[in-house]
Amino acid sequence: MKNVVIIGTAILVLILIGIGLLYEGKETRIGVLDNEEEIFLGLINQYRAENGLAPLAITPMLEESAQWMSEDMKSKEYFSHTDSLGRDPFVRMSAFGYNFNTWRGENLAYGILSGQDAFVLWKNSPGHNANMLKPEFVVMGIGKDEEYWTTDFGGYVPLSSTFIPTAPPTPEPTVVPATIPATPICTCE
C-alpha cells in the first residue's frame, strides 16, 4: 500500500511539473476575468436570458483551456481550432481536466480587442451564435491574449465552477488632467 501511495504521489508531481512547463515564463491569470472578459460574460448571459436560457458559469478547467489556447495561437502566430500540439478542442479541454462525457464547443476570434466586439462577431455568425445559445451548455471558460479570443463551452457543471454576476461592469471614468492656469482664477457668487 505504501508503494502505491509513493507511485501515485510521483505521478502527480510529474503531472504538475508538466503543467508548469506549459506555463513556463508566462504570467497566468486563471480564475480572474479581465474587464473585457467580464463584459463579454455579461453580454452572453444577458443574451441567453433573452432567449430563455440559463446563464453560463465559469469553470477553471475551461478557463485554463481557453486561456492556454489564446496564448498558444498568439505566441505561435496561427488561428485554428487545432492547437500547436495537434489537439482538437475536445482533447485539449480533457487535458485541462474537463473530461466529462458531455456537450462541448469552442468559439475562436482574432483581431478583436473588446468583449462587445467579440460578442457581436460571434452573434452574427450562425455557428458561433449556435454555441452561445446551445441550451446544453451550462459552463464556459474565456481566454484572451490581446486580440486572440477563445471561449470553451461545456454541458456539465463541476463543483469548482463559479457563477459571476452577469451585469457588465461599469466602465472606469477617464481621468483628464486639470490644466492649472498661471494666474489663479476664482469665481464667486
Side-chain angles (χ1 to χ4, degrees), residues 24 49 59 80 100 134 145 170:
E24 185 178 329
T59 188
S80 171
F100 307 104
K134 191 173 198 80
D145 193 345
T170 304

Side-chain angles (χ1 to χ4, degrees), residues 45 47-56 132-137:
N45 280 339
Y47 185 47
R48 287 175 62 87
E50 290 168 0
N51 285 276
L53 300 171
L56 296 168
M132 293 197 306
L133 293 178
K134 191 173 198 80
E136 291 83 3
F137 291 151

Side-chain angles (χ1 to χ4, degrees), residues 2-20:
K2 186 176 180 181
N3 288 342
V4 171
V5 171
I6 292 171
I7 291 171
T9 303
I11 291 171
L12 179 61
V13 168
L14 290 174
I15 290 170
L16 293 174
I17 289 170
I19 290 171

